[in-house]
Amino acid sequence: MTVYLDPPVSGKPHEQGARVKRLLSRTGGFIGKMARNPLTAIGGGIIFLLLVVATFAPWIAPYHPLVQDLNNALQPPGAQHWFGTDEFGRDIFSRLVYGSRITLYIVLLVSVTVGPLGLLLGVCAGYFGGKVDMVLMRVTDIFISFPSLVLALAFVAALGPGLEHVVIAITLTAWPPIARLARAETLSLRQADFISAVRLQGASPARVLWRHVVPLCLPSVIIRITMNMAGIILTAAGLGFLGLGAQPPEPEWGAMISSGRTYMMECWWVVTIPGLAILINSLAFNFLGDGLRDILDPRSE
């Protein structure tokens, strides 16, 4: 008698479905934890609104941000111009909307540059120790010893004004705290039992760092980067105020405050509205960073 066996059923589709469900469950739980913190929910909502405004700026702004109308110069807020006009008759609301793109461009580009750079230097210094640690940390101490804004001013003055140079200058001043944080996390992990077991199995230092140390350092680094975004906004606005960031007539928020400070006593909206935009978005990133710290850092529980 011949017995026919059914072919084994592959478990891959089932496993993939289970992974998707676990991912959705974790994402929903993460969002739920953030929503339970009022300040974190407010910060996340403001940042989400900033992303939407920057993405759909051409459809949201009622006027072109660069077109001048001298007949309507320094008009107060009203039905035609919600936030008033500047000294050239340009709509301040439209310039704020387009300026959100410049702010997000600087924040995101600096963040994706600073994070990997600081993480790489920090984990290498903490894991290898010795001369590698000494050299990297002495370089880090040199950068930390100068105030970040002063050091950014020096770099921009050397490189010249412009958005790209602002990004480079802020990146060169923002990576040292990330590196020191990653080093401290790596020092606490280097002598852990599971790291020793991985090394005994023959894993190379690169594999140990990439597969085991870096994932455990990521939550702290992400929290620090999120909280640093407020400082990035303020530094970029400060450089723009001094004329070293985006050049006129670009609608950068710091440059808008600089150009309107001559009229601030008679026309308060020219300076107040961009200043409030900087303040609100800086607070939003701080609120979001505090919430992420409460969720991602187990030691805060």
Side-chain angles (χ1 to χ4, degrees):
M1 181 178 65
T2 303
V3 178
Y4 296 94
L5 299 177
D6 294 332
V9 179
S10 174
K12 288 185 178 180
H14 176 71
E15 293 176 358
Q16 292 177 354
R19 290 176 182 174
V20 172
K21 290 181 180 179
R22 285 197 298 269
L23 179 61
L24 293 176
S25 176
R26 291 177 181 175
T27 304
F30 181 80
I31 296 175
K33 290 180 180 178
M34 292 185 63
R36 284 194 290 270
N37 188 330
L39 292 180
T40 305
I42 293 172
I46 293 173
I47 294 171
F48 177 76
L49 180 62
L50 179 67
L51 291 170
V52 171
V53 169
T55 302
F56 299 100
W59 294 273
I60 295 175
Y63 300 93
H64 194 281
L66 305 182
V67 173
Q68 301 181 9
D69 184 7
L70 298 178
N71 294 325
N72 288 321
L74 298 175
Q75 293 294 317
Q80 189 174 5
H81 300 282
W82 296 345
F83 292 164
T85 61
D86 62 8
E87 67 274 19
F88 296 107
R90 297 172 298 195
D91 183 65
I92 292 179
F93 175 75
S94 300
R95 290 178 63 79
L96 281 180
V97 169
Y98 276 89
S100 64
R101 289 185 163 187
I102 298 176
T103 299
L104 281 179
Y105 171 80
I106 296 174
V107 169
L108 294 179
L109 197 55
V110 170
S111 299
V112 300
T113 307
V114 165
L117 177 61
L119 183 61
L120 174 63
L121 296 178
V123 297
C124 288
Y127 184 80
F128 293 108
K131 293 183 178 180
V132 175
D133 183 25
M134 182 183 67
V135 171
L136 292 179
M137 287 301 101
R138 294 300 76 78
V139 174
T140 303
D141 292 339
I142 292 173
F143 278 86
I144 290 181
S145 62
F146 295 95
S148 59
L149 181 57
V150 174
L151 196 58
L153 282 171
F155 282 124
V156 174
L159 297 172
L163 278 181
E164 292 76 13
H165 295 165
V166 167
V167 171
I168 295 173
I170 298 177
T171 299
L172 292 175
T173 60
W175 68 265
I178 305 295
R180 293 189 70 88
L181 175 64
R183 174 182 178 270
E185 294 282 343
T186 305
L187 287 175
S188 65
L189 296 171
R190 185 174 61 179
Q191 303 301 329
D193 292 338
F194 72 95
I195 295 294
S196 301
V198 171
R199 283 201 295 257
L200 289 175
Q201 291 176 359
S204 63
R207 181 178 178 84
V208 173
L209 290 176
W210 178 252
R211 296 292 299 273
H212 302 282
V213 176
V214 168
L216 293 175
C217 294
L218 271 179
S220 298
V221 171
I222 291 173
I223 294 168
R224 184 57 187 262
I225 291 174
T226 304
M227 301 189 73
N228 280 357
M229 288 180 179
I232 294 171
I233 292 176
L234 294 175
T235 303
L239 294 175
F241 180 84
L242 296 174
L244 299 174
Q247 298 301 294
E250 291 297 324
E252 198 272 328
W253 294 345
M256 291 172 63
I257 296 176
S258 177
S259 63
R261 70 184 187 274
T262 307
Y263 313 96
M264 62 182 298
M265 300 304 296
E266 298 84 9
C267 307
W268 56 268
W269 59 88
V270 180
V271 173
T272 303
I273 300 299
L276 286 176
I278 296 172
L279 174 63
I280 291 172
N281 286 282
S282 300
L283 287 176
F285 280 110
N286 277 329
F287 291 158
L288 182 62
D290 285 337
L292 290 178
R293 181 182 58 192
D294 296 338
I295 296 172
L296 298 178
D297 189 359
R299 290 169 295 186
S300 64
E301 297 180 356

